[in-house]
Amino acid sequence: DVNLCPALRADALVTDMPASPPQANVSADPAERITESSSKPLSLAQNLQRLCQDLGWKPLFACNQADVILHASRSGEATVLFVINDRREPGTYVGQHGMVKEVALPVTAELNFGHNTVNVYDLTETSFLLPKRVDGGLIIPLQLGPSEARVLLLSPAPLLEMQLEVPETAKRGNSAEVRVRLMTSGSRPMPAAIPVVVTIHDADGAPAEFDGHHVVENGELTLRLDLARNETPGTWEIQVRELASGMKAVKWMQVSP
């Protein structure tokens, strides 16, 4: 807007930005407050959308609700899409004069991924989402609670298989390598960064080194377990669960003195 630091050069200026926050008529009816307070931000979002179109910029993804914020970043051949519900209304504390929107609201929205075929995984819910094809592109409906966010993985390649390699035996004082592989069609490595939960329990059931969250990049993750000389001997359990589609694998390793 016009208050941009002079050292920065903008591609375009929004000249119709109000100099001060708009005054909202705080009605006793909550439904009326939602309608009145949400109309002006929607108009501003529409103006920004037209401005971007005039500059020749078209977003890869779109949402039919202006209060839903989208942010995309690349992960290999895939895209990670952050979806944030920012719908709010003035409350009764600092928002009683209509200057501050402090109360978060739920929203029902539709995400549009364009016309290219894409596999959609919800990393926050660990589930596969099936888009619906309409004339405007591939659509997925979302219901977001107040201030709720989702992290979606959009990949041209489907996630089909997970492999877990664990040595059958290991000795205290030595190392053991655990390998996790995520595969797509044709047994090719999955070209994306996918979070996984690795659970490693020793013979007493206590968590061991590297127990926790990790990321499989470009289809492979290697964990080097350095077994101390005083580790508990016996059967260790290694379990891996990927957080895109929910596939799980478990294996056991015999640790000897």
Side-chain angles (χ1 to χ4, degrees), residues 8-247:
L8 301 177
R9 297 183 59 184
D11 295 321
L13 288 177
V14 180
T15 57
D16 56 353
M17 182 85 76
S20 60
Q23 295 285 343
N25 181 18
V26 183
S27 170
D29 187 352
E32 294 182 7
R33 294 206 308 268
I34 294 175
T35 303
E36 294 174 2
S37 63
S38 60
S39 59
K40 290 185 178 180
L42 287 175
S43 176
L44 174 60
Q46 292 170 354
N47 289 336
L48 289 174
Q49 185 178 19
R50 285 196 295 265
L51 179 62
C52 292
Q53 290 176 348
D54 293 341
L55 293 172
W57 179 78
K58 183 179 180 181
L60 296 176
F61 316 105
C63 181
N64 66 340
Q65 296 291 344
D67 294 318
V68 175
I69 301 172
L70 303 181
H71 175 76
S73 63
R74 295 291 295 177
S75 170
E77 296 180 7
T79 299
V80 177
L81 183 64
F82 298 86
V83 184
I84 305 168
N85 176 17
D86 194 42
R87 173 165 290 183
R88 291 171 290 167
E89 68 167 336
T92 58
Y93 184 50
V94 295
Q96 57 182 321
H97 303 294
M99 305 289 285
V100 178
K101 294 183 178 181
E102 60 183 350
V103 178
L105 299 171
V107 65
T108 299
E110 284 187 351
L111 298 181
N112 190 320
F113 302 108
H115 294 278
N116 295 329
T117 301
V118 66
N119 298 277
V120 184
Y121 300 92
D122 189 338
L123 300 182
T124 47
E125 299 290 338
T126 311
S127 61
F128 175 75
L129 303 180
L130 184 62
K132 178 183 179 182
R133 185 173 292 278
V134 297
D135 292 339
L138 296 173
I139 299 293
I140 283 184
L142 279 183
Q143 288 186 333
L144 299 172
S147 301
E148 184 181 1
R150 298 283 184 89
V151 182
L152 306 181
L153 178 70
L154 315 177
S155 173
L159 178 57
L160 300 178
E161 182 184 359
M162 181 170 66
Q163 299 176 355
L164 175 60
E165 296 181 4
V166 176
E168 293 183 359
T169 61
K171 190 174 182 180
R172 292 191 301 185
N174 292 338
S175 298
E177 281 193 349
V178 174
R179 289 189 176 89
V180 181
R181 292 188 175 91
L182 296 178
M183 320 296 289
T184 182
S185 55
S187 297
R188 295 182 296 110
M190 184 69 180
I194 298 179
V196 296
V197 178
V198 179
T199 304
I200 304 177
H201 287 165
D202 64 16
D204 291 333
E209 183 185 16
F210 290 114
D211 182 274
H213 289 75
H214 299 269
V215 175
V216 179
E217 294 191 48
N218 294 318
E220 186 164 345
L221 170 68
T222 300
L223 300 176
R224 181 185 175 92
L225 308 183
D226 294 320
L227 303 178
R229 296 186 180 276
N230 61 346
E231 297 281 12
T232 304
T235 302
W236 287 37
E237 181 181 274
I238 296 95
Q239 179 176 288
V240 178
R241 180 172 180 258
E242 52 87 9
L243 298 181
S245 65
M247 286 189 293

